[in-house]
């Protein structure tokens, strides 16, 4: 890195030399780094190639989960959900004890109890985690995908954000084949109620329930609204909404 001392100020790259301004003045540096060709072919970078292959796989598997409930993700997510889910997939991939490095797969790691446990409880909106918002008792039937919420009192069982007058609850179940990269999702009825509503019980029934190869992932969505002149508006652009993985089976 060299400091530039002259009358003419240059910013940008000229013949492989990048000129840039800092608080200490203008500096120049030559373009560096390792070529893509060397990374792809040099035996010294074999570990790097393996890590890159698995990193790409983790991201792809995370995207598969996100795509399975993309309509719900529009209602409850944070800005880092893609990277956080990819990291979670990386932990699951590490449980693949049969594949060689660079070829370990989420589809194998998630077959065991530990792999399923890692994904269970994942919050798509880290600013509004389910554990901090919801205090009700959900009863999930993994055979039918039906979820029952009994004796639910919104004012007591929800940590209601300021300004919310109403809330909605719904569920979803996705059958995801991580090896084939395919999924089938179905969604339940949505129950909307006022925060001051009396205690009631709700049953969430998926529109259908798929069986076959793959992993069943069950989702729970909480939305908050503010009612003005009889119309319910999403509270602060859905920033308080919850989307969490209830169970992985």
């Amino acid at each position: 890195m060299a400091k530039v001392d002259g009358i003419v100020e240059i910013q940008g790259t000229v013949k492989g030399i990048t000129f840039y301004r800092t608080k200490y003045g203008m500096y120049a540096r030559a373009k560096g780094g390792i070529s893509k060709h060397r990374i792809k072919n040099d035996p010294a970078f074999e570990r790097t190639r393996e890590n890159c292959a698995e990193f790409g796989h983790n991201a792809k598997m995370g995207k598969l989960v996100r795509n399975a409930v993309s309509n719900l993700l529009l209602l409850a997510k944070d800005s880092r959900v893609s990277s956080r889910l990819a990291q979670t997939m990386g932990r699951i991939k590490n449980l693949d004890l049969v594949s060689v490095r660079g070829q370990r797969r989420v589809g194998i790691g998630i077959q065991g109890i530990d792999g399923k446990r890692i994904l269970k409880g994942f919050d798509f909106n880290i600013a509004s985690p389910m554990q901090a918002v919801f205090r009700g008792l959900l009863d999930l039937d993994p055979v039918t995908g039906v979820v029952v919420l009994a004796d639910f009192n919104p004012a007591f069982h929800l940590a209601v954000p300021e300004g919310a007058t109403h809330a909605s609850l719904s569920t979803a179940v996705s059958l995801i084949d991580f090896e084939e990269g395919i999924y089938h999702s179905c969604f339940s009825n949505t129950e909307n109620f006022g925060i001051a509503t009396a205690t009631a019980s709700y049953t969430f029934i998926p529109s259908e329930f798929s069986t076959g190869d793959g992993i069943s992932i069950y989702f729970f969505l909480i939305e908050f609204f503010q009612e003005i002149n009889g119309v319910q508006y999403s509270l602060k652009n859905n920033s308080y909404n919850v989307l969490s993985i209830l169970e992985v089976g």
Side-chain angles (χ1 to χ4, degrees):
M1 180 174 64
K3 185 175 182 179
V4 179
D5 185 12
I7 299 175
V8 180
E9 181 178 302
I10 302 174
Q11 293 193 49
T13 302
V14 179
K15 292 186 177 182
I17 304 297
T18 300
F19 298 84
Y20 60 99
R21 172 178 288 280
T22 73
K23 64 181 180 179
Y24 302 108
M26 292 297 300
Y27 281 81
R29 64 184 175 192
K31 182 179 180 181
I34 302 168
S35 69
K36 293 182 180 179
H37 180 270
R38 184 181 176 191
I39 292 176
K40 289 182 179 180
N41 297 280
D42 192 332
F45 290 93
E46 183 178 0
R47 294 284 87 83
T48 300
R49 291 192 293 272
E50 293 171 351
N51 291 337
C52 286
E54 292 188 348
F55 181 84
H57 173 71
N58 299 339
K60 184 178 180 180
M61 295 300 99
K63 184 177 181 180
L64 184 65
V65 174
R66 290 185 285 113
N67 285 346
V69 286
S70 57
N71 56 328
L72 302 187
L73 205 61
L74 292 173
L75 303 172
K77 65 178 180 180
D78 61 64
S79 61
R80 294 188 62 252
V81 64
S82 298
S83 60
R84 291 193 302 105
L85 189 53
Q87 290 174 357
T88 299
M89 291 296 163
R91 293 171 57 200
I92 297 172
K93 171 267 302 176
N94 289 342
L95 296 177
D96 175 0
L97 303 180
V98 298
S99 303
V100 298
R101 282 188 53 150
Q103 299 179 25
R104 292 177 295 178
R105 308 185 66 81
V106 170
I108 297 176
I110 203 169
Q111 295 297 325
I113 295 176
D114 290 339
K116 295 180 176 65
R117 185 182 295 120
I118 288 174
L119 188 56
K120 179 180 178 180
F122 181 86
D123 288 299
F124 292 83
N125 182 10
I126 197 64
S128 192
M130 181 172 171
Q131 189 174 14
V133 176
F134 182 78
R135 296 186 288 268
L137 183 61
L138 294 168
D139 183 17
L140 167 66
D141 183 349
V143 176
T144 63
V146 173
V147 176
V148 176
L149 176 58
D151 300 325
F152 180 70
N153 183 328
F156 179 76
H157 291 114
L158 286 178
V160 181
E162 183 178 356
T165 61
H166 291 72
S168 287
L169 306 178
S170 61
T171 65
V173 56
S174 296
L175 183 66
I176 301 181
D177 189 328
F178 287 96
E179 290 296 291
E180 297 297 327
I182 57 177
Y183 61 84
H184 180 76
S185 302
C186 48
F187 305 88
S188 76
N189 49 296
T190 298
E191 298 293 342
N192 179 266
F193 46 81
I195 299 302
T197 301
T199 299
S201 296
Y202 301 102
T203 301
F204 304 94
I205 305 174
S207 55
E208 57 181 302
F209 189 75
S210 300
T211 57
D213 295 333
I215 301 295
S216 294
I217 302 179
Y218 305 85
F219 302 84
F220 186 56
L221 174 68
I222 305 173
E223 301 173 78
F224 290 103
F225 303 92
Q226 184 177 68
E227 184 177 86
I228 300 176
N229 296 331
V231 179
Q232 292 185 27
Y233 298 90
S234 297
L235 188 66
K236 294 190 176 180
N237 296 320
N238 301 321
S239 60
Y240 291 107
N241 291 352
V242 174
L243 179 59
S244 185
I245 294 179
L246 280 181
E247 187 60 85
V248 181

